[in-house]
Amino acid sequence: MTPSVKTLSVLGATGSIGRNTLDIVDHHRDAFEIVALTAQSNVAELARQALKYRARMAVIGDEALYSELKSLLSGTNTVVAAGEDALVAAASETVDCVMAAIVGSAGLKPTFAAAKHAKRVALANKECLVCAGEAFMTLIASGTCELLPVDSEHSGVFQTIAAADESSIEQITLTASGGPFRSWSNEQMAAATVDQALNHPNWSMGAKVTIDSATMMNKGLELIEAFHLFPVRHEQLSCVVHPQSIVHCLVSFTDGTTLAQMACPDMRTPIAYALGWPNRLKAPTKRLDLTDLSGLTFELADENRFPALAVARAALEKGGAAPCILNAANEVAVAAFLDRKIGFTDIADLVGWTLDRCEALGLTGRVCSLKDVLDVDREARMLSGSRLDGGP
Amino acid sequence: MTPSVKTLSVLGATGSIGRNTLDIVDHHRDAFEIVALTAQSNVAELARQALKYRARMAVIGDEALYSELKSLLSGTNTVVAAGEDALVAAASETVDCVMAAIVGSAGLKPTFAAAKHAKRVALANKECLVCAGEAFMTLIASGTCELLPVDSEHSGVFQTIAAADESSIEQITLTASGGPFRSWSNEQMAAATVDQALNHPNWSMGAKVTIDSATMMNKGLELIEAFHLFPVRHEQLSCVVHPQSIVHCLVSFTDGTTLAQMACPDMRTPIAYALGWPNRLKAPTKRLDLTDLSGLTFELADENRFPALAVARAALEKGGAAPCILNAANEVAVAAFLDRKIGFTDIADLVGWTLDRCEALGLTGRVCSLKDVLDVDREARMLSGSRLDGGP
C-alpha cells in the first residue's frame, strides 16, 4: 500500500491540519520521512515535532523566535531558520509531498514555491485558489506537480469525479454544517460573542476557519476554490446546509447519478487521501454506522441570514481581483472580531463594503501573477483596516 | 460524448430492462445501431421493436411463435429466427455491446456466448454470476470483453470503486428497499397474496425480481453477484434496508471515507452508465432534490422475517454449486407462488429445503463449467419440483 518512503514537508505544522497530518504519519511511520516543518509562532510545538520526526529543517516564521528555536533544537541535526524567506526556502525543498497548511494569505508565497519544486502539493491553504486561483492553476498546469485538495469537501469531489469526463458533470454541491448559528436570527447573530462563534458543532478547527464557518464565508471561499479545482462553470456550483457534516459533497451527473463522499467529520480522512493518493492510507478515524447515516438532512442555505455567502458568490461571478479582495477583507474582519473590535454581523458588512470600495477605485480587474495578488491583497487590507479605524 | 456509433444487441428486449435500454437508445438515436433483439414469448412487442429500430435480427425463444414473428416482419430486412440455439447465435454476433437482460437461468447460455464475442456485456442477467460466477468470471478474465453491471447496486459499486486499489476497500454495502413487506410480521407474510407481493413500493420491475425483492432473496442473489464482480471477501459484503431506494450502495475505505451512489429509482440510470462507460450518457430521469436527500433511513435487515437472506448468505459462504442450487430452487418456488401453488413464506422454505437435500446428496461441490452449472441447475429444479408435487 505504501511501496516506498515518501519525503514530506509540512508547512503550518503546528496548526490543526499540520498536527492531523503528523498524526497520520504516526500511523505510517515507515512510509514517510519528514524534511521540513514550519510554523509561524508556536516555537515549542515546532521544536517538539522536529525532535520527534527528526526533521531535516525547522523554520519559524516570526524571526524574533529564531534563537529560542535554535536553542530548543541544539545538539540535533535539524537545520533551523526563521523569517518569510526561510519559509519559502523550506517550501522549495524537493520532496514527494508538501502539505500546504499555512492559514491565510501568508501561505501564498510558500505554497507557490512548493508547487514549483514538490512532486505533490496537498493543498489546505485556501488562499492559493481563492486569491490567486488563475495564477496558481496556471503554475500547476504548466508543471509536473500533482495538486490534491485537503478540504474535506474538495477531497470528496476529487474522489467522486476521479474518472469522469467533464461534460458528464451536471452539478457539484458542497455541504456546509451551517455552523453554530445555523438556526439563529439576524438579531441573535448581531449580539453573538466570540466564544459562541468559536463553538462549532461538528468540526475541531483553527479559530479563523471556525469563524468563517459561523459566517458561512468559509463555504463561499470553498465555492471559489472548487471553481478553480474542477472543470465546471460557476452556475454548476452550489452549497447546501447539512448540519450533521457526514456528507461532504454531492456530485451529480448527466445519467441521473449523484455520487456522495461521506465520512465522520475528521480531517485525518482527507489528509490521508491527499498523502496516499492514488492509494488510500489507513486512517484511525471513527467509521460511519447506520445511526450516522439515518436521518441526515439537507436544507437551502439562507443568504439573508448569512450574507457572506452572497458576497462571496458575487466575488466568484465577478472574478479578477474580487475573490482576493474578499479574502483580504475577511481576514481583517475576522481578526477584528476575534479581538472584540467589531460584532459578528459586522464581518460580512466590512467585506461587502471593501469589495464595493475596491470596485469604485478600479481595483477589481484581472490579477495575473502572484505579485499582482499580493499588491491587491495589501491594498484591500489597508482599505478594510482604515474603515475599522473610522476611515471613509 | 458518443464519438462513434455503437452496435448493440439486446437479449430480453421486451422485458423491463430491455425496454428501458431501448428508451435510452431513443434518446441517443445517432449513437446506436441495433443488431439483434431477442425475446422469449412477447412476439408482438419484439416485432414492433425490430421494425422501429430496423434490427438486423429478431429472435423469439419460443419456437412455436416463429411463423407469427416471421409474418409480422415480412417485407423487412430483419432476419427472423426462433429457439434456444438461435438465441445463442444472436448473442454471438460480434457487436460493441450486448445488453444481457434475459431473466433467469435461461440467460446463461446466451450471456456466455455474448461474453465470448462482444466487446462489452452489460450484465442484467444475475444468474451468470449467481449460478456460474466462477466460470463466467474466468471467461471474462481470459478474454477481451468488458463486463459492466446493470443492477443499480452493482453499477453504483462499480462507479465508486472505479479507481480504488483492492486493499483500500473495507466494506461494500448494498441497499435493499425492504420490499412491500418490510414492516410485516411473519404471520402477515404467511398470508400474503401474489398481488400484495407484486406491489413494490419503489421499483417497477418484472414479476420474478419483484417477488425476489419481497422475500429479499434478490438482495441475497446480489451479494453473490457482488462477490464475483468485486475484489472482496464475503465478510466484506453486507446489505442494509433503505426504504427510500435513493442510495444504492455504500462503499467504505480504509481512510474512513464512504462513497455512496445515489439516484432516483429508475433503471435507465445504470443502463445508461453501462452503455456509455467510460463516458456518461444523458438519461431523462428525475434528478434528486433536497427533499429526496433529507430523511433517508437505513436499518439492519431482519433475517428472522426474511430467511431468504440467511439462506442466500449461507450459499455464498459455502460456494461451489450452492448458489446455483439456491437460484434454481428459488426460480421454481417463485413460479409456484405466482401460480398460487404455494404461500409466500413457502418460497424461502423450499429453497432452504432444496439446499439441504442437495447437500445430503453430495451435489454442492465445485462447478467448473457452464455444463456443470446447467446439470446442477436441472437437478435442483427437479428436486424442488418433486417436493412441490408432494415428493420426499
Side-chain angles (χ1 to χ4, degrees):
Chain A
M1 227 163 64
T2 47
S4 60
V5 176
K6 278 187 182 165
T7 50
L8 174 68
S9 292
V10 184
L11 313 180
T14 62
S16 173
I17 298 289
R19 282 180 282 111
N20 277 307
T21 301
L22 293 173
D23 184 82
I24 291 294
V25 170
D26 282 343
H27 288 83
H28 301 274
R29 279 301 279 270
D30 296 338
F32 294 101
E33 183 189 335
I34 301 298
V35 176
L37 296 174
T38 83
Q40 180 54 28
S41 55
N42 190 344
V43 67
E45 175 67 7
L46 179 63
R48 196 193 64 75
Q49 292 175 344
L51 283 168
K52 175 173 176 185
Y53 298 99
R54 297 179 187 175
R56 280 191 237 157
M57 193 179 297
V59 181
I60 192 87
D62 183 348
E63 293 189 34
L65 297 168
Y66 172 75
S67 54
E68 187 176 349
L69 182 63
K70 187 79 186 163
S71 118
L72 285 166
L73 292 174
S74 68
T76 71
N77 291 322
T78 301
V79 176
V80 173
E84 193 183 317
D85 290 347
L87 288 176
V88 171
S92 303
E93 288 288 310
T94 302
V95 289
D96 293 318
C97 182
V98 170
M99 172 57 69
I102 295 173
V103 177
S105 61
L108 284 170
K109 279 189 192 173
T111 309
F112 268 73
K116 281 181 195 144
H117 297 97
K119 291 188 191 151
R120 173 180 305 178
V121 166
L123 188 68
N125 174 274
K126 288 186 198 315
E127 290 71 17
C128 273
L129 293 172
V130 172
C131 308
E134 207 176 317
F136 190 70
M137 292 310 288
T138 301
L139 175 61
I140 293 291
S142 67
T144 58
C145 179
E146 299 161 345
L147 181 63
L148 271 285
V150 172
D151 273 358
S152 58
E153 297 80 358
H154 303 84
S155 174
V157 174
F158 187 92
Q159 293 175 43
T160 49
I161 70 170
D165 67 311
E166 302 182 9
S167 64
S168 72
I169 303 170
E170 279 188 350
Q171 193 76 20
I172 292 177
T173 302
L174 310 181
T175 62
S177 68
F181 304 147
R182 181 173 62 89
S183 55
W184 287 33
S185 68
N186 283 321
E187 293 68 33
Q188 287 174 302
M189 280 192 274
T193 66
V194 169
D195 286 346
Q196 287 170 327
L198 284 175
N199 184 29
H200 196 281
N202 304 343
W203 290 98
S204 162
M205 306 178 289
K208 163 69 168 47
V209 62
T210 304
I211 301 301
D212 285 345
S213 187
T215 60
M216 292 194 70
M217 179 63 87
N218 187 46
K219 212 48 52 177
L221 299 175
E222 288 179 0
L223 289 173
I224 299 170
E225 283 186 272
F227 174 75
H228 291 291
L229 282 170
F230 306 118
V232 289
R233 302 181 308 282
H234 65 74
E235 314 90 79
Q236 292 173 282
L237 291 166
S238 61
C239 71
V240 293
V241 173
H242 166 55
Q244 298 84 15
S245 295
I246 297 291
V247 175
H248 304 301
C249 68
L250 297 155
V251 180
S252 61
F253 297 93
T254 48
D255 61 9
T257 284
T258 294
L259 295 181
Q261 191 266 352
M262 309 194 279
C264 290
D266 186 324
M267 286 308 295
R268 291 177 299 178
T269 291
I271 288 168
Y273 188 81
L275 297 181
W277 181 87
N279 298 322
R280 287 182 191 260
L281 298 175
K282 216 170 159 62
T285 60
K286 178 186 172 307
R287 299 309 196 240
L288 293 176
D289 58 29
L290 292 189
T291 313
D292 294 320
L293 293 172
S294 283
L296 300 179
T297 60
F298 299 85
E299 56 198 62
L300 288 175
D302 181 350
E303 295 193 356
N304 289 320
R305 288 188 301 122
F306 297 98
L309 256 185
V311 173
R313 188 170 270 287
L316 166 61
E317 287 168 21
K318 188 175 293 292
C324 176
I325 295 160
L326 174 90
N327 178 72
N330 184 56
E331 285 193 29
V332 170
V334 170
F337 172 69
L338 287 171
D339 280 351
R340 276 85 173 164
K341 287 180 186 160
I342 62 173
F344 182 76
T345 49
D346 297 329
I347 297 172
D349 286 350
L350 180 62
V351 176
W353 177 89
T354 309
L355 269 167
D356 290 345
R357 189 88 188 108
C358 285
E359 181 147 30
L361 292 169
L363 293 173
T364 55
R366 192 149 171 246
V367 280
C368 297
S369 67
L370 180 55
K371 189 188 165 302
D372 291 350
V373 168
L374 294 171
D375 288 346
V376 168
D377 177 70
R378 194 161 36 241
E379 198 107 28
R381 278 168 201 277
M382 274 170 41
L383 279 167
S384 309
S386 67
R387 172 75 170 180
L388 283 178
D389 297 335
Chain B
M1 229 162 62
T2 46
S4 61
V5 175
K6 279 187 183 164
T7 50
L8 173 69
S9 292
V10 184
L11 313 180
T14 62
S16 173
I17 298 290
R19 282 180 282 111
N20 277 307
T21 300
L22 292 172
D23 184 82
I24 291 294
V25 170
D26 284 342
H27 288 83
H28 301 275
R29 278 302 278 269
D30 296 338
F32 295 100
E33 183 190 334
I34 301 297
V35 175
L37 296 174
T38 83
Q40 179 54 29
S41 56
N42 190 342
V43 66
E45 175 67 8
L46 179 64
R48 195 193 65 74
Q49 292 175 344
L51 283 168
K52 175 173 176 186
Y53 298 99
R54 296 179 189 177
R56 280 192 236 157
M57 193 179 298
V59 181
I60 191 86
D62 183 348
E63 292 189 34
L65 297 168
Y66 172 77
S67 54
E68 187 175 349
L69 183 63
K70 186 79 187 161
S71 115
L72 285 166
L73 292 174
S74 67
T76 71
N77 291 323
T78 302
V79 176
V80 172
E84 193 183 318
D85 290 348
L87 288 177
V88 171
S92 303
E93 288 288 310
T94 301
V95 290
D96 293 318
C97 182
V98 170
M99 173 57 69
I102 296 174
V103 177
S105 61
L108 283 170
K109 279 188 192 172
T111 309
F112 267 72
K116 281 181 196 145
H117 297 97
K119 291 189 192 150
R120 173 180 304 178
V121 166
L123 188 69
N125 173 275
K126 288 186 199 313
E127 290 70 17
C128 274
L129 292 172
V130 172
C131 308
E134 207 176 317
F136 191 70
M137 293 309 287
T138 301
L139 175 61
I140 293 291
S142 66
T144 57
C145 179
E146 299 161 345
L147 180 62
L148 272 285
V150 172
D151 272 358
S152 58
E153 298 80 357
H154 303 84
S155 174
V157 174
F158 187 92
Q159 294 175 43
T160 49
I161 70 169
D165 67 311
E166 302 181 7
S167 63
S168 72
I169 302 170
E170 279 189 349
Q171 192 76 20
I172 293 178
T173 303
L174 310 181
T175 62
S177 67
F181 304 147
R182 182 173 62 89
S183 55
W184 287 33
S185 68
N186 284 320
E187 292 68 33
Q188 287 175 303
M189 280 192 273
T193 67
V194 170
D195 286 345
Q196 287 170 327
L198 284 174
N199 184 28
H200 196 280
N202 304 341
W203 290 98
S204 163
M205 306 178 289
K208 163 69 167 49
V209 63
T210 303
I211 301 301
D212 285 345
S213 187
T215 60
M216 292 193 71
M217 179 63 86
N218 187 46
K219 212 48 54 176
L221 299 176
E222 289 180 0
L223 290 173
I224 298 170
E225 283 186 272
F227 174 76
H228 291 291
L229 283 170
F230 306 118
V232 289
R233 301 182 308 281
H234 66 75
E235 314 90 79
Q236 292 174 283
L237 291 165
S238 61
C239 71
V240 294
V241 174
H242 166 55
Q244 299 84 17
S245 294
I246 297 291
V247 175
H248 304 301
C249 68
L250 297 155
V251 180
S252 61
F253 297 93
T254 48
D255 62 8
T257 285
T258 295
L259 296 180
Q261 192 265 353
M262 308 193 280
C264 289
D266 186 323
M267 285 309 294
R268 291 177 297 177
T269 291
I271 287 167
Y273 188 82
L275 296 181
W277 181 85
N279 298 324
R280 287 181 191 261
L281 298 175
K282 216 170 159 62
T285 60
K286 177 186 173 305
R287 299 308 195 242
L288 293 176
D289 58 29
L290 292 189
T291 312
D292 295 319
L293 293 173
S294 283
L296 300 179
T297 58
F298 300 85
E299 56 199 62
L300 288 175
D302 180 351
E303 296 193 353
N304 289 320
R305 287 188 302 122
F306 297 98
L309 257 185
V311 173
R313 187 170 270 287
L316 166 60
E317 287 169 22
K318 187 176 293 293
C324 175
I325 294 160
L326 174 90
N327 178 73
N330 184 56
E331 286 193 27
V332 170
V334 170
F337 173 69
L338 287 170
D339 280 351
R340 276 87 172 163
K341 287 181 186 156
I342 60 173
F344 181 75
T345 50
D346 297 329
I347 297 173
D349 286 350
L350 180 62
V351 176
W353 177 89
T354 308
L355 270 167
D356 289 346
R357 189 89 188 109
C358 285
E359 182 146 30
L361 293 168
L363 292 172
T364 54
R366 191 148 170 246
V367 280
C368 298
S369 66
L370 179 55
K371 188 188 166 301
D372 291 350
V373 168
L374 294 170
D375 288 346
V376 168
D377 177 71
R378 195 162 34 239
E379 197 107 28
R381 278 168 201 277
M382 273 169 42
L383 279 167
S384 310
S386 67
R387 171 75 170 179
L388 282 178
D389 298 335

